[in-house]
Amino acid sequence: MLYTFFLIDKPGSKELRLQLRPAHKAYLAQVADRIAFAGPLLTDDGTSMIGSLLSIEFASRDEALTWLNDEPFTRAGVYASSSIHAFQNLWPQKAGFPPAE
């Protein structure tokens, strides 16, 4: 099942995020074949990053939570808040995961 992560950064965490970005990207690469989408959450004017949105396939919510707890930004305290939600893709994508039947 796909699990979507809403990850909101702590104010003032930009420098820490930049420092840990290579480790974060390497950690994402370990599940690259299971990522439906991933990218930054932005302010309404699109000029500043406020967090991340990820949708990744995991066998269970517990597995998704374990993955998040081991993620470099989580371990370093970059996020002010995080939430995980099961997600069902019902819209055909040009690339990525097929819609659920």
Side-chain angles (χ1 to χ4, degrees), residues 73-92:
F73 290 160
T74 301
R75 287 186 289 127
V78 168
Y79 303 128
S81 67
S82 62
S83 61
I84 303 172
H85 303 274
F87 176 76
Q88 186 177 34
N89 183 22
L90 296 177
W91 194 260

Side-chain angles (χ1 to χ4, degrees), residues 3-83:
Y3 289 88
T4 300
F5 301 78
F6 294 91
L7 309 165
I8 304 300
D9 291 357
K10 288 181 181 174
S13 63
K14 181 179 178 180
E15 290 303 317
L16 182 57
R17 174 181 271 279
L18 291 173
Q19 176 185 359
L20 294 169
R21 191 165 189 259
H24 168 74
K25 288 182 76 174
Y27 193 71
L28 283 173
Q30 295 174 13
V31 294
D33 61 329
R34 297 188 277 151
I35 296 174
F37 56 85
L41 292 171
L42 305 173
T43 55
D44 288 342
D45 63 6
T47 61
S48 299
M49 186 172 167
I50 60 169
S52 298
L53 177 65
L54 311 169
S55 191
I56 306 171
E57 185 177 35
F58 289 101
S60 67
R61 188 183 195 306
D62 286 342
E63 185 181 321
L65 183 57
T66 297
W67 182 88
L68 179 60
N69 287 337
D70 289 337
E71 192 273 330
F73 290 160
T74 301
R75 287 186 289 127
V78 168
Y79 303 128
S81 67
S82 62
S83 61

